[in-house]
Amino acid sequence: MKGRADWLSQIRRNYDLYLLLIPGLVFLVIFKYTPIYGLVIAFQNFNIFKGIGGSEWVGLQQFERLFHSADFGLIMANTLLISLYKIVFLFPIPIIIAVLLNEVGRMWFKRSIQTIIYLPHFLSWVVIAGLFVNILSPSTGIVNSIIGWFGGEPVNFFMDNHYFRSVLVATAGWKETGWNAIIFIAAIAGLDPELYEAARLDGASRVRQMLHITLPGISTTIVLMLILRIGGVLEAGTEQILLMYNPTVYETGDVIGTYIYRMGLTSMEYSFSTAVGLFESVIGFILVIGGNQLSKRITGKSIW
């Protein structure tokens, strides 16, 4: 009873804060939790005219269809490869940028660089796709013009399976690297300046300060961001790929998200596409939990 009385007294003291919490909770319930009911159609042969209540229940049939599909191996391989490339090549870059910007003494220069590199984040993928289609055009693009100056043959980057994944990684890096660096810049800003002062008094160079103060100081943030990236490994940038790929590069560019789009909206296979989406979500959840446990074992740090 005492615990309940303390809880009620805390609510009375901070009632205004709890009132401010209500709109956020309502939003979560309506737009995040209520749609979960729709996952039922992954276990049905859903008929849009009969609705969820009248559609035939088929159990795990849609999942069996997914695992026995000829496309399953291809889309899983593409999804994992594209996500792995983005993690390996793009995840370290924001950390490096944040650490280097921290060493810049002139504030106006630092702020100018920050503004320039995170501006692409505010461009939609529609704009970026159109921009790079023009830049990489085999007939009028500046990249192929440069290749031609050196005696090379024009390359159709968006229709060549050898280059398409590289285009995806490069464009994603150009768009999001600066924005992702903000998180690490903020983490560095929270470090105690006295640590750097003590290191300078001991004669530590800037490189040693980076290695022994800056990087260890933001290691928790790095682990957190890496775990979140691992959790989203099956997403692979669906919106980006949808706007850039075409049937000629399905072999290297078709991922789970684009497959769900094609099967769900184009072919109207609602139950099957929901089953694929549920599979993606469950694997993502397992990866987040597994990544957290692995980081706890290796670094002793956990996000919860």
Side-chain angles (χ1 to χ4, degrees), residues 39 42 63 66 234 256-257 260 270-284:
L39 292 176
F63 295 93
L66 169 64
L234 295 186
I256 291 178
I260 292 172
Y270 300 114
S271 291
F272 181 66
S273 61
T274 303
V276 179
L278 180 58
F279 167 77
E280 178 185 4
S281 300
V282 170
I283 297 299

Side-chain angles (χ1 to χ4, degrees), residues 124-145 154-160 164 167-168 170-172 174 239-246 249:
S124 71
W125 275 116
V126 176
V127 174
I128 292 175
L131 176 65
F132 277 92
V133 163
N134 288 324
I135 292 175
L136 300 177
S137 170
S139 55
T140 59
I142 186 172
V143 173
N144 275 299
S145 297
V155 178
N156 196 335
F157 291 94
F158 285 96
M159 299 188 71
D160 193 323
F164 187 67
V167 171
L168 294 177
T171 52
W174 182 81
E239 181 183 0
Q240 173 196 13
I241 298 172
L242 274 175
L243 292 165
M244 292 185 174
Y245 85 151
N246 56 77
V249 290

Side-chain angles (χ1 to χ4, degrees), residues 1-235:
M1 292 295 292
K2 183 180 178 181
R4 182 179 180 183
D6 292 341
W7 179 67
L8 291 174
S9 63
Q10 183 181 10
I11 291 178
R12 282 195 295 268
R13 285 197 306 271
N14 302 294
Y15 73 94
D16 50 346
L17 298 178
Y18 285 101
L19 287 175
L20 291 174
L21 187 64
I22 291 174
L25 292 176
V26 171
F27 174 85
L28 285 175
V29 170
I30 293 176
F31 295 102
K32 299 296 183 180
Y33 290 102
T34 303
I36 292 177
Y37 174 68
L39 292 176
V40 171
I41 70 175
F43 305 94
Q44 296 179 325
N45 186 12
F46 180 70
N47 186 307
I48 192 171
F49 299 105
K50 294 181 180 180
I52 294 177
S55 297
E56 177 189 4
W57 187 269
V58 295
L60 298 178
Q61 181 179 313
Q62 304 295 346
F63 295 93
E64 293 175 0
R65 177 185 169 190
L66 169 64
F67 298 140
H68 290 93
S69 170
D71 298 324
F72 179 70
L74 178 65
I75 62 173
M76 280 298 296
N78 289 339
T79 302
L80 294 174
L81 279 173
I82 292 171
S83 294
L84 179 64
Y85 291 159
K86 287 183 176 181
I87 292 174
V88 171
F89 294 109
L90 300 184
F91 184 76
I93 297 177
I95 302 171
I96 295 170
I97 291 174
V99 171
L100 293 179
L101 282 176
N102 185 56
E103 300 301 316
V104 176
R106 298 182 182 277
M107 187 59 66
W108 67 268
F109 181 74
K110 181 189 296 188
R111 289 178 176 174
S112 300
I113 294 297
Q114 286 178 346
T115 302
I116 291 170
I117 62 176
Y118 75 62
L119 276 177
H121 170 79
F122 298 99
L123 299 176
S124 71
W125 275 116
V126 176
V127 174
I128 292 175
L131 176 65
F132 277 92
V133 163
N134 288 324
I135 292 175
L136 300 177
S137 170
S139 55
T140 59
I142 186 172
V143 173
N144 275 299
S145 297
I146 295 173
I147 293 173
W149 293 341
F150 288 96
E153 293 294 325
V155 178
N156 196 335
F157 291 94
F158 285 96
M159 299 188 71
D160 193 323
N161 284 298
H162 292 94
Y163 295 101
F164 187 67
R165 288 175 183 155
S166 300
V167 171
L168 294 177
V169 174
T171 52
W174 182 81
K175 184 178 189 294
E176 299 295 349
T177 294
W179 182 257
N180 292 334
I182 293 177
I183 298 171
F184 300 107
I185 292 171
I188 293 172
L191 299 179
D192 189 352
E194 292 183 0
L195 294 174
Y196 293 97
E197 293 175 9
R200 283 193 290 269
L201 289 174
D202 289 338
S205 65
R206 286 195 166 189
V207 174
R208 286 193 173 276
Q209 291 176 42
M210 284 190 290
L211 293 176
H212 298 289
I213 298 176
T214 307
L215 288 176
I218 64 172
S219 59
T220 303
T221 304
I222 294 173
V223 170
L224 170 62
M225 298 307 297
L226 181 58
I227 290 173
L228 293 177
R229 289 293 297 271
I230 291 173
V233 72
L234 295 186
E235 200 277 328

